[in-house]
Amino acid sequence: MNPFSSGTRLRDMIRAIRACKTAAEERAVVRKECAAIRAAINENDQDYRHRNLAKLMFIHMLGYPTHFGQMECLKLIASPGFPEKRIGYLGLMLLLDERQEVLMLVTNSVKQDLNHTNQYIVGLALCALGNICSAEMARDLAPEVERLLQFRDPNIRKKAALCSIRIIKKVPDLAENFINPVAALLKEKHHGVLITGVQLCTDLCKVSPEALEYFRKKCTDGLVRTLRDLVNSPYAPEYDIAGITDPFLHIRLLKLLRVLGRGDADASDSMNDILAQVATKTESNKNAGNAILYECVETIMSIEDNGGLRVLAINILGRFLSNRDNNIRYVALNMLMRAITVDAQAVQRHRATILECVKDSDASIRKRALELVYLLVNESNAGNFVKDEVWHALVVVISNASDLHGYTVRALFRALQTTAEQESLVRVAVWCIGEYGDLLVSNAGMLNVEDPITVTESDAVDIVESAIKRHASDLTTKSMALIALLKLSSRFPSCSGRIKDIVVQHKGSLVLELQQRSLEFNSIIEKHQNIRSALVERMPVLDEATFGGRRASSLPNTVSTSSGTAVKLPNGVAKPSAAPLVDLLDLSDDVPAPSSSGGDFLQDLLGVNLPPATQSGTNQTPKAGTDVLLDLLSIGSTPAQDNNLSTPDILSSGQDNKPIIASLDLLAAPSLTHTTSSTASNMMDLLDGLGPAPPKPAENGPAYPSIVAFESSSLRLTFNFSKQPGNPQTTMISGSFTNLSSNLFTDFVFQAAVPKFLQLHLDPASGNSLPASGNGTITQSLKVTNSQHGKKPLVMRLRIAYKVDGKDVLEEGQINNFPRDL
């Protein structure tokens, strides 16, 4: 036999299709089979019509067009035999839908089958009608379906009820015809018929107010009795699921009671007792029990007010929050968000459990829990009882949401205008106004949900000034406000004079922190407008993962900004860990953080074997992080002052020395590179004319040979050494940079780092442009103090950055060839 003839069995065709290796082979098989089926249809082959339709259904499920076989369905439905009708109705439901015009041709056949003496044929017609019934078919066949709701066989009554649901959805006007038959179904003992009757009743109540009122008056008490009998029923193996009798019927009854009780006090009163019984007797250790409890809570929260029942329902949701199943916790959070509008006090009792959900590993649960926490916050539980980690984290989130910076600063400005009693709110608002004050004034990034707001530059300064003058503001808030004013002086040049007057008011403050900030910021505003914009440029995006992983550790107080300058973070702002030490020289992230002594880290940093060093004459253990930065970058005062210096500050000045802006060059960005030595001195003079003093040359001239400290194909660095008489520990180094290439080097920056036993001071470079082909040099003076003179040689790690034709170039190296007696 031809494998693709009309007589091929369905299993043979399936086997042939599955044996195909490629999609092209499959299409070829399907094409030949469809051609054979078309030929059989044209020949009106009645012997294999049912087999051909079965093949078409399989081909249809594979995604191939089968419209040419739709009429075969109608022919099989019109056949007298049950097997043919079964295949015909199955094809009708699979190959056609209610939008097909050919469906109108089958209405008469379906009507005849609904009146057939064979109950199985009646069942086939009801199944098809319940799946693809159109509005026209519903109007024509509704009387037959309504009659079948009272048929003797329960299976037919069940299918008729399901078919009725589709009919009233398609034609709601027919709902009144089904009210009385449905009321009889609610008294059924057969669970299959009862559950479909309950569902049909629920849908009738939704589409017909008359039906809703009728069932409230006539059927509420009967439904309550049915549910009570179900709850108290003994073990029934045919309906038992996880020890609960027919949980599906439980849920359908609870849903219908919810519809009947909503908005009706009498109906709600009649079902209070059974709802309390369901809530207390249902076991929650099985999923079926949890489903019933959830529907019970939904019903309790939907019907008319009963305070005791609602507290019971919210307590059930509180238990759900402790469940290990994420789905149960999620639906509980959703329900609590609705319940808070009804009984907020009862929800507040579960506040601790809700807060735990904010830490959940599932993002959807965290989101829902956070939304619920937002709804729980009110006048009685908000305010200053916020940990620093919370507003630190909020600043990080705001920093990362670049599209919402404008909206955020406007929202916080409004909130600060309303109340300034919440310290954390004031801090976050002041930080945002300092960072994004220009967006506040320009109304940039307005959202559709925002109301228009007009804020002038003076208004922004006013609100920051009020935060400083506020009596309840602590040192952290006032310090942050001063920084915000410094930033606004650059963003709002017209208000610079007024901001200077506000800042200078604190130069006589008894609080040293405020006094120092006032002096430094006043000097920047008054004398250094040329570098102010770079110093106060917008903070870089803060890394959320880094903040979350390191916020609990002890962190240094300085970071590198996007411009490269080292700045001191105000109190309360999240500080990075010791990673900036690693980032300084672009070391990989897997370098371990410095230990308490910093020795192991510096050994890795410089690649030398450095035993732990201690200061002579003291047994004090060096502090972690901060002292490493002090000694590595030579920031702060002289070694004799280190014991009194708690944090490095690039804007501080020592009493015995000129200000040591230790490696402002080391961390400087190209925009801050000095052009001439005199200009550099002016730029570095941040404290009323005090500037770095040039090193004094040795009286007897250099006593040490010069070395080539670094040389590449394009650059050479030469060091010349000298010492001052009577001070063998200190070495004066004069560095000379020569361009060996034929290209001009611009934005030239030299950076250096030394281990802890060395103190390094760099003076400004003589320029930032290095002529090509050795036609000029850049010189830079360094001063190195070796606390282990005679025991350990000098070692140094360097980095040189410059631009060639606008492209960044970076060269690094390590100097180990210093003379031994330096």
Side-chain angles (χ1 to χ4, degrees):
M1 179 183 293
N2 183 355
F4 299 109
S5 68
S6 61
T8 305
R9 294 181 301 177
L10 175 63
R11 68 182 66 179
D12 295 332
M13 185 195 73
I14 295 174
R15 191 177 292 116
I17 291 176
R18 289 181 176 175
C20 296
K21 303 296 183 182
T22 63
E25 291 181 14
E26 179 184 294
R27 288 194 296 270
V29 172
V30 171
R31 191 182 305 112
K32 292 179 180 178
E33 189 64 45
C34 289
I37 294 174
R38 283 194 182 93
I41 292 174
N42 293 333
E43 295 172 1
N44 197 19
D45 187 353
Q46 299 183 4
D47 295 334
Y48 296 105
R49 180 173 288 156
H50 63 286
R51 180 181 292 179
N52 290 336
L53 186 56
K55 294 179 185 178
L56 282 177
M57 286 188 281
F58 183 81
I59 293 172
H60 175 79
M61 290 188 288
L62 292 178
Y64 295 96
T66 55
H67 56 278
F68 58 88
Q70 292 176 351
M71 290 303 298
E72 296 297 291
C73 299
L74 276 63
K75 294 177 182 179
L76 286 173
I77 290 173
S79 302
F82 174 78
E84 290 80 7
K85 285 183 178 291
R86 181 174 61 180
I87 293 294
Y89 277 117
L90 183 60
L92 183 73
M93 291 183 283
L94 191 62
L95 303 182
L96 285 82
D97 56 49
E98 60 182 277
R99 295 168 296 181
Q100 301 285 341
E101 295 181 359
V102 71
L103 193 63
M104 296 300 299
L105 301 177
V106 81
T107 302
N108 189 52
S109 297
V110 173
K111 186 173 185 178
Q112 292 178 0
D113 289 340
L114 289 176
N115 294 294
H116 204 281
T117 55
N118 187 333
Q119 65 182 26
Y120 299 107
I121 293 178
V122 175
L124 290 176
L126 286 172
C127 284
L129 192 61
N131 278 280
I132 62 169
C133 174
S134 62
E136 292 77 8
M137 293 179 69
R139 291 189 181 92
D140 293 338
L141 301 176
E144 280 72 19
V145 176
E146 178 187 346
R147 177 181 56 81
L148 292 173
L149 288 173
Q150 302 169 357
F151 197 78
R152 63 183 183 279
D153 186 77
N155 288 323
I156 297 299
R157 294 202 300 273
K158 178 178 69 174
K159 292 181 180 182
L162 292 173
C163 187
S164 301
I165 293 173
R166 185 175 181 93
I167 289 175
I168 62 173
K169 286 182 177 180
K170 291 295 179 182
V171 189
D173 296 341
L174 297 176
E176 60 183 16
N177 299 336
F178 292 89
I179 293 178
N180 290 326
V182 170
L185 292 180
L186 297 179
K187 301 176 183 178
E188 283 278 351
K189 299 299 180 183
H190 190 281
H191 281 207
V193 179
L194 179 58
I195 196 171
T196 54
V198 169
Q199 183 61 46
L200 176 56
C201 182
T202 304
D203 289 329
L204 280 172
C205 292
K206 291 179 180 179
V207 300
S208 172
E210 294 80 6
L212 175 60
E213 195 61 31
Y214 176 85
F215 289 125
R216 272 180 181 162
K217 294 180 179 179
K218 301 292 185 179
C219 302
T220 301
D221 293 337
L223 291 170
V224 169
R225 285 194 300 269
T226 302
L227 182 57
R228 182 178 292 111
D229 293 341
L230 188 62
V231 171
N232 299 321
S233 63
Y235 173 74
E238 64 271 26
Y239 300 124
D240 182 83
I241 296 178
I244 298 176
T245 302
D246 205 341
F248 299 102
L249 183 56
H250 268 94
I251 291 172
R252 293 296 182 188
L253 287 170
L254 287 169
K255 286 184 175 180
L256 179 54
L257 290 176
R258 184 190 316 160
V259 174
L260 298 177
R262 184 182 291 116
D264 190 276
D266 294 336
S268 299
D269 289 340
S270 64
M271 63 184 71
N272 282 341
D273 292 340
I274 186 56
L275 292 176
Q277 190 175 352
V278 172
T280 54
K281 292 188 64 175
T282 304
E283 297 181 3
S284 60
N285 56 350
K286 299 290 185 180
N287 205 42
N290 287 327
I292 294 174
L293 286 174
Y294 176 77
E295 291 297 335
C296 184
V297 170
E298 281 261 28
T299 303
I300 291 172
M301 302 306 297
S302 299
I303 65 175
E304 291 306 296
D305 186 26
N306 186 302
L309 267 183
R310 285 183 174 168
V311 171
L312 176 61
I314 292 173
N315 289 341
I316 292 173
L317 295 177
R319 294 203 307 269
F320 279 1
L321 293 179
S322 302
N323 198 294
R324 290 180 297 179
D325 191 315
N326 286 353
N327 294 323
I328 294 177
R329 281 185 288 166
Y330 184 83
V331 297
L333 289 169
N334 275 341
M335 180 61 67
L336 285 171
M337 290 179 67
R338 294 162 51 189
I340 197 171
T341 61
V342 179
D343 193 342
Q345 193 60 37
V347 180
Q348 289 281 0
R349 298 190 189 103
H350 302 279
R351 190 167 51 204
T353 310
I354 295 168
L355 288 174
E356 287 299 315
C357 292
V358 177
K359 307 173 186 177
D360 196 271
S361 58
D362 190 293
S364 58
I365 291 179
R366 290 200 306 271
K367 180 181 178 182
R368 282 288 176 265
L370 192 60
E371 292 173 349
L372 182 55
V373 168
Y374 176 77
L375 295 176
L376 287 173
V377 174
N378 54 38
E379 294 80 0
S380 63
N381 59 23
N384 290 330
F385 301 100
V386 178
K387 295 180 180 179
D388 283 348
E389 290 82 358
V390 176
W391 70 266
H392 290 179
L394 178 57
V395 167
V396 174
V397 172
I398 292 172
S399 170
N400 282 267
S402 57
D403 294 339
L404 298 177
H405 285 168
Y407 167 76
T408 303
V409 71
R410 286 188 291 273
L412 289 170
F413 180 84
R414 291 189 184 98
L416 200 55
Q417 283 184 316
T418 303
T419 176
E421 299 304 317
Q422 302 175 17
E423 197 71 20
S424 299
L425 170 64
V426 175
R427 292 176 182 176
V428 177
V430 164
W431 184 88
C432 285
I433 292 172
E435 290 293 324
Y436 315 120
D438 50 334
L439 305 180
L440 173 64
V441 173
S442 64
N443 275 331
M446 285 287 292
L447 303 181
N448 295 331
V449 297
E450 288 188 81
D451 296 327
I453 182 174
T454 302
V455 181
T456 65
E457 295 179 354
S458 180
D459 294 335
V461 175
D462 285 341
I463 204 162
V464 179
E465 181 183 13
S466 67
I468 298 179
K469 294 183 176 180
R470 176 173 163 266
H471 177 71
S473 294
D474 60 9
L475 174 60
T476 299
T477 304
K478 291 181 179 179
S479 300
M480 294 178 67
L482 283 175
I483 292 180
L485 286 174
L486 177 63
K487 294 192 173 187
L488 291 180
S489 70
S490 175
R491 290 150 174 66
F492 304 153
S494 62
C495 297
S496 182
R498 181 190 168 195
I499 291 174
K500 175 181 175 297
D501 294 338
I502 299 172
V503 170
V504 80
Q505 294 174 7
H506 297 274
K507 69 178 182 179
S509 174
L510 296 178
V511 181
L512 183 60
E513 177 76 12
L514 296 180
Q515 182 188 114
Q516 179 179 348
R517 288 175 188 266
S518 176
L519 290 170
E520 294 169 352
F521 295 171
N522 179 58
S523 180
I524 293 173
I525 295 172
E526 190 175 36
K527 300 181 179 181
H528 302 285
Q529 291 87 352
N530 55 338
I531 64 170
R532 180 176 57 184
S533 60
L535 286 174
V536 299
E537 67 180 8
R538 193 161 292 164
M539 285 285 290
V541 175
L542 304 174
D543 182 53
E544 294 183 79
T546 301
F547 171 79
R550 296 173 175 172
R551 62 185 178 185
S553 60
S554 178
L555 307 175
N557 285 4
T558 58
V559 297
S560 295
T561 64
S562 60
S563 64
T565 56
V567 296
K568 181 176 179 182
L569 290 175
N571 293 335
V573 175
K575 311 180 188 79
S577 67
L581 282 172
V582 182
D583 295 337
L584 173 68
L585 299 178
D586 285 347
L587 300 179
S588 61
D589 290 337
D590 57 356
V591 175
S595 63
S596 58
S597 65
D600 293 340
F601 172 75
L602 290 172
Q603 292 178 30
D604 294 336
L605 177 67
L606 300 172
V608 294
N609 185 15
L610 301 176
T614 59
Q615 297 180 2
S616 60
T618 179
N619 294 325
Q620 179 180 359
T621 303
K623 289 176 286 185
T626 300
D627 287 348
V628 175
L629 270 175
L630 277 168
D631 295 330
L632 181 63
L633 305 181
S634 292
I635 298 178
S637 59
T638 60
Q641 296 171 324
D642 284 349
N643 292 336
N644 297 323
L645 185 60
S646 60
T647 58
D649 196 325
I650 68 165
L651 303 178
S652 64
S653 64
Q655 296 178 354
D656 299 331
N657 288 345
K658 299 296 183 181
I660 301 177
I661 319 288
S663 289
L664 190 60
D665 288 321
L666 177 64
L667 298 177
S671 61
L672 295 180
T673 307
H674 315 296
T675 56
T676 65
S677 59
S678 61
T679 304
S681 299
N682 292 333
M683 293 175 70
M684 306 276 281
D685 179 12
L686 301 182
L687 289 178
D688 298 329
L690 297 178
K696 296 180 180 179
E699 295 179 358
N700 298 327
Y704 301 95
S706 301
I707 66 169
V708 177
F710 174 83
E711 186 170 9
S712 67
S713 60
S714 57
L715 183 68
R716 179 190 298 132
L717 169 61
T718 304
F719 277 174
N720 295 310
F721 307 99
S722 62
K723 285 185 179 289
Q724 295 178 348
N727 188 5
Q729 292 183 336
T730 301
T731 303
M732 313 303 296
I733 304 175
S734 176
S736 177
F737 301 89
T738 304
N739 185 349
L740 305 179
S741 72
S742 59
N743 299 311
L744 173 67
F745 294 172
T746 59
D747 296 339
F748 191 90
V749 177
F750 170 67
Q751 304 171 343
V754 295
K756 183 175 180 60
F757 68 89
L758 298 176
Q759 293 286 328
L760 173 66
H761 170 78
L762 287 91
D763 285 338
S766 62
N768 68 340
S769 295
L770 189 57
S773 304
N775 292 326
T777 61
I778 292 178
T779 60
Q780 188 161 2
S781 298
L782 300 84
K783 182 170 69 174
V784 181
T785 300
N786 187 352
S787 62
Q788 300 292 320
H789 181 260
K791 299 178 182 179
K792 297 180 181 179
L794 300 185
V795 287
M796 184 181 297
R797 182 108 180 180
L798 59 85
R799 176 203 276 179
I800 304 169
Y802 53 89
K803 289 186 177 180
V804 178
D805 296 331
K807 296 182 180 179
D808 292 325
V809 179
L810 181 67
E811 301 197 41
E812 296 179 340
Q814 182 169 309
I815 308 174
N816 295 321
N817 60 336
F818 286 100
R820 298 288 299 176
D821 51 349
L822 286 179

